[in-house]
């Protein structure tokens, strides 16, 4: 099972919610922390608020980082996203990580009722404003799409700078992420897509902008299970993403059309070996995303593996 690197390993939250989603998320995060995982991550949906949930989870589960991937930039203003992020960061004492994303045209247009116009320009302006704000700095921005001025205090006492990531996989978005953010959080970008497209593009952009090497937080569909039904369950959950052009494009870069072809399913050694390819492709962090339709025992076993890999990576880095 050995993966000898300093890569951090985390898991997504999202198992069976029971009667209270917040309590379920806290239980899952507490178990991940007990196993030794470096981080837990959650997406932004249309039911719970991800940044708020991250603050609740992190304040009740010490010793583990909490990340959100990703908050769409459409239908939100960077001043308010920054206030949410800083509030959560103050509660977590520096353990909160925020990723934003463009989202997908069907969601933006059908759920929010907004036109999918100039998405790349919007992302650039959003990050231009949000970056200083999550560092506690004031802003005075008058752009073509976004206006933001710190007319009232915008820094939250007790909040350290929040790491800012972008769920970017397309070339233009990766360039912007390299210039204005701390890294990227790709999903369904397999090892080939990472090594040949994602990592070179964002690394070159960061270097040109005089920034440090970017974080590559690879979200990988993976679950530790020997269940015969796991493959079909995972396939059903991942099929949702094939309706979006951005995911079809990144899947094609890895030479596949069906996202379940990237799923790592099997015992601990099998999944760990599959994760090695992501590390070798340039991932600085790996987040195991066992689909929420899988049973609770599988979710727990997957969290245990993330902890084991984190401990192993930590012990190697101290040798």
């Amino acid at each position: 099972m050995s993966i000898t690197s300093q890569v951090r390993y985390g898991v997504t939250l999202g198992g069976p919610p029971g009667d209270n989603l917040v309590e379920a998320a806290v239980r899952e995060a507490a178990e991940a922390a007990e196993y030794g995982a470096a981080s837990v991550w959650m997406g932004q949906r249309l039911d719970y608020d991800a940044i708020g949930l991250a603050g609740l989870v992190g304040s009740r589960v010490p010793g583990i980082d909490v990340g959100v991937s990703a908050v769409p930039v459409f239908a939100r203003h960077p001043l308010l996203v920054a206030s949410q992020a800083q509030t959560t960061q103050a509660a977590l004492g520096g353990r909160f990580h925020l990723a934003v994303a463009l989202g997908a045209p069907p969601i933006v247009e059908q759920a929010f009722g907004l036109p999918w116009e100039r998405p790349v320009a919007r992302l650039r302006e959003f990050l231009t404003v949000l970056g200083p704000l999550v560092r506690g700095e004031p802003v005075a921005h008058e752009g073509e799409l976004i206006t933001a001025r710190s007319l009232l205090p915008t820094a939250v006492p007790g909040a350290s700078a929040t790491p800012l990531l972008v769920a970017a996989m397309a070339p233009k978005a990766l360039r912007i992420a390299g210039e204005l953010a701390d890294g990227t959080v790709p999903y369904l970008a397999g090892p080939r897509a990472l090594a040949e497209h994602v990592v070179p593009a964002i690394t070159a952009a960061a270097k040109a902008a005089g920034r440090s090497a970017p974080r590559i937080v690879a979200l990988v569909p993976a679950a530790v299970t020997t269940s015969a039904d796991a493959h079909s369950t995972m396939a059903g959950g991942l099929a949702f993403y094939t309706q979006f052009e951005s995911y079809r494009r990144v899947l094609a870069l890895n030479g596949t059309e069906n996202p379940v072809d990237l799923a790592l399913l099997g015992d601990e050694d099998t999944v760990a070996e599959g994760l090695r390819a992501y590390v070798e492709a340039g991932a600085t962090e790996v987040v195991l995303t066992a689909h929420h339709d899988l049973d609770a025992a599988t979710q727990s076993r997957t969290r245990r593996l993330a902890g084991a890999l984190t401990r192993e990576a930590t012990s190697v880095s101290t040798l």
Side-chain angles (χ1 to χ4, degrees), residues 10-213:
V11 292
T12 55
L13 303 180
D19 294 329
N20 189 298
L21 182 142
V22 173
E23 295 302 323
V26 168
R27 287 195 299 269
E28 290 184 350
E31 184 181 63
E34 182 180 356
Y35 287 149
S39 61
V40 292
W41 292 75
M42 61 203 73
Q44 177 63 62
R45 307 191 313 207
L46 294 182
D47 45 9
Y48 64 76
D49 174 69
I51 299 178
L53 181 59
L56 292 167
V57 168
S59 63
R60 291 176 57 183
V61 183
I64 193 166
D65 285 9
V66 183
V68 166
S69 178
V71 174
V73 300
F74 280 90
R76 290 166 175 82
H77 195 282
L79 277 168
L80 298 181
V81 172
S83 69
Q84 289 180 286
Q86 288 186 89
T87 302
T88 292
Q89 192 64 281
L92 269 59
R95 293 181 288 123
F96 177 59
H97 305 254
L98 172 65
V100 300
L102 282 172
I107 302 298
V108 171
E109 295 175 343
Q110 297 175 31
F112 299 153
L114 297 174
W116 180 262
E117 294 178 350
R118 303 184 65 188
V120 174
R122 179 171 295 277
L123 177 63
R124 177 176 289 281
E125 285 200 40
F126 201 97
L127 291 172
T128 297
V129 174
L130 185 61
L133 287 170
V134 295
R135 296 192 297 269
E137 303 167 6
V139 296
H141 177 85
E142 297 185 24
E144 297 180 23
L145 301 172
I146 296 174
T147 295
R149 306 183 187 92
S150 298
L151 299 181
L152 298 171
T154 53
V156 175
S160 58
T162 297
L164 179 57
L165 307 164
V166 183
M169 294 180 289
K172 291 180 180 179
L174 284 167
R175 284 198 297 272
I176 294 171
E179 294 172 18
L180 299 173
D182 300 310
T184 184
V185 188
Y187 181 49
L188 298 182
R192 177 178 159 189
L194 276 184
E196 297 180 5
H197 300 278
V198 174
V199 175
I202 191 171
T203 300
K207 183 177 181 180
R211 297 180 65 94
S212 301

Side-chain angles (χ1 to χ4, degrees), residues 168-170 174 184-200 216-222 238 246-264 273-287 289:
M169 294 180 289
L174 284 167
T184 184
V185 188
Y187 181 49
L188 298 182
R192 177 178 159 189
L194 276 184
E196 297 180 5
H197 300 278
V198 174
V199 175
I216 312 295
V217 185
L219 272 63
V220 182
L238 293 175
S246 58
Y247 286 108
R248 293 197 298 269
R249 183 169 55 244
V250 77
L251 285 168
L253 292 176
N254 211 67
T256 184
E257 294 182 359
N258 193 335
V260 78
D261 293 339
L262 296 175
L264 301 176
E273 184 60 31
L275 296 176
R276 185 188 304 277
Y278 286 85
V279 176
E280 293 174 347
T284 62
E285 303 167 54
V286 175
V287 178
T289 64

